[in-house]
Amino acid sequence: SYELTQPLSVSVALGQTARITCGGNNIGRKNVHWNQQKPGQAPILVIYRDTDRPSGIPERFSGSNSGNTATLTISRAQAGDEADYYCQVWDSSTVVFGGGTKLTVL
Amino acid sequence: EVQLVESGGALVKPGGSLRLSCAASGFTFTDAWMNWVRQAPGKGLEWVGRIKSEGDGGTIDYAAPVKGRSTISRDDSKNTVYLQLNSLKTEDTAVYYCTTASLRITMIVGAFDIWGQGTVVTVSS
């Protein structure tokens, strides 16, 4: 079965750039989506199809995907960006989530 | 307003059964492929299964941990999707979310732009 690997945690200084990676075999050939989840809340979609932002998501959120790694980039990190981030793909007819990355804004 | 509202979560004994419901509004439910995703306490997101729209054949797929113990169904007349859970185990304890794509583009690429608030299932003796 297909697996997605994310770092358990990433820390970023306030106002700096955070990068969260999602590794998978030839993931560059798949559409990668990113979900943000704050404590006690349901997830929300922040990036879909590698690079696209849903309406209402700040331009500070961007994505890329190539080879074996997809990356979610959060520019000018704010305290409100602290959350768990999950990458997601479809493999055959099933959905695969990465294990999640806890982003801490220092 | 685009919305998904889950219900039916409860405390159940191991071996028991439960049916969860997810009521949809604000988008064309009949076109939607509806998914269930769960999250065990302190853990990550885990996909449970999906039912396609009737127009796309109504095909249902399940994740391995629940296959054979779960049934997903839909009632388009009620804009509702269901998850029947049988032979429940303690490891089925989780928040169960209903999720889907409400936009044509997110539907095509398989992203979930709508999530419900979740319903809690606790399996314990």
Side-chain angles (χ1 to χ4, degrees):
Chain A
S1 61
Y2 195 78
E3 295 185 356
L4 295 174
T5 301
Q6 296 183 235
L8 283 176
S9 63
V10 168
S11 297
V12 62
L14 186 69
Q16 297 304 302
T17 298
R19 294 178 179 84
I20 299 172
T21 58
C22 176
N25 187 39
N26 289 319
I27 195 173
R29 298 180 182 179
K30 297 181 179 293
N31 286 311
V32 178
H33 318 301
W34 290 90
N35 294 277
Q36 174 196 70
Q37 186 181 35
K38 296 181 179 180
Q41 297 184 19
I44 64 168
L45 183 68
V46 294
I47 292 289
Y48 66 94
R49 196 173 52 175
D50 300 341
T51 60
D52 295 334
R53 279 177 292 102
S55 174
I57 300 301
E59 292 183 8
R60 300 185 298 102
F61 288 80
S62 62
S64 63
N65 184 18
S66 178
N68 294 316
T69 305
T71 303
L72 172 68
T73 300
I74 305 171
S75 303
R76 301 182 300 283
Q78 301 178 358
D81 298 332
E82 278 207 347
D84 294 325
Y85 291 85
Y86 296 90
C87 55
Q88 177 244 314
V89 301
W90 281 85
D91 180 61
S92 298
S93 298
T94 63
V95 171
V96 181
F97 287 101
T101 298
K102 181 177 181 59
L103 177 67
T104 300
V105 180
L106 304 172
Chain B
E1 180 189 6
V2 174
Q3 191 170 250
L4 295 171
V5 179
E6 302 95 334
S7 60
L11 170 62
V12 185
K13 287 180 168 39
S17 297
L18 202 59
R19 189 177 83 155
L20 308 181
S21 301
C22 171
S25 59
F27 64 97
T28 306
F29 181 78
T30 51
D31 291 341
W33 294 16
M34 301 300 298
N35 294 263
W36 287 94
V37 173
R38 68 183 181 182
Q39 186 171 37
K43 302 297 184 182
L45 301 175
E46 179 185 28
W47 181 76
V48 174
R50 176 226 62 223
I51 182 168
K52 293 184 179 180
S53 63
E54 288 300 326
D56 288 321
T59 307
I60 306 169
D61 286 287
Y62 299 95
V66 303
K67 196 170 187 178
R69 301 189 295 120
S70 300
T71 302
I72 298 175
S73 59
R74 64 190 297 157
D75 185 339
D76 287 353
S77 69
K78 296 182 178 179
N79 282 6
T80 299
V81 63
Y82 304 97
L83 174 62
Q84 176 75 36
L85 299 166
N86 301 320
S87 303
L88 282 162
K89 308 175 182 180
T90 55
E91 51 264 42
D92 294 319
T93 294
V95 177
Y96 284 74
Y97 295 102
C98 172
T99 182
T100 189
S102 69
L103 305 174
R104 182 66 181 162
I105 182 60
T106 49
M107 194 179 300
I108 289 171
V109 301
F112 304 143
D113 60 62
I114 314 173
W115 292 76
Q117 85 289 349
T119 188
V120 178
V121 173
T122 303
V123 184
S124 174
S125 55

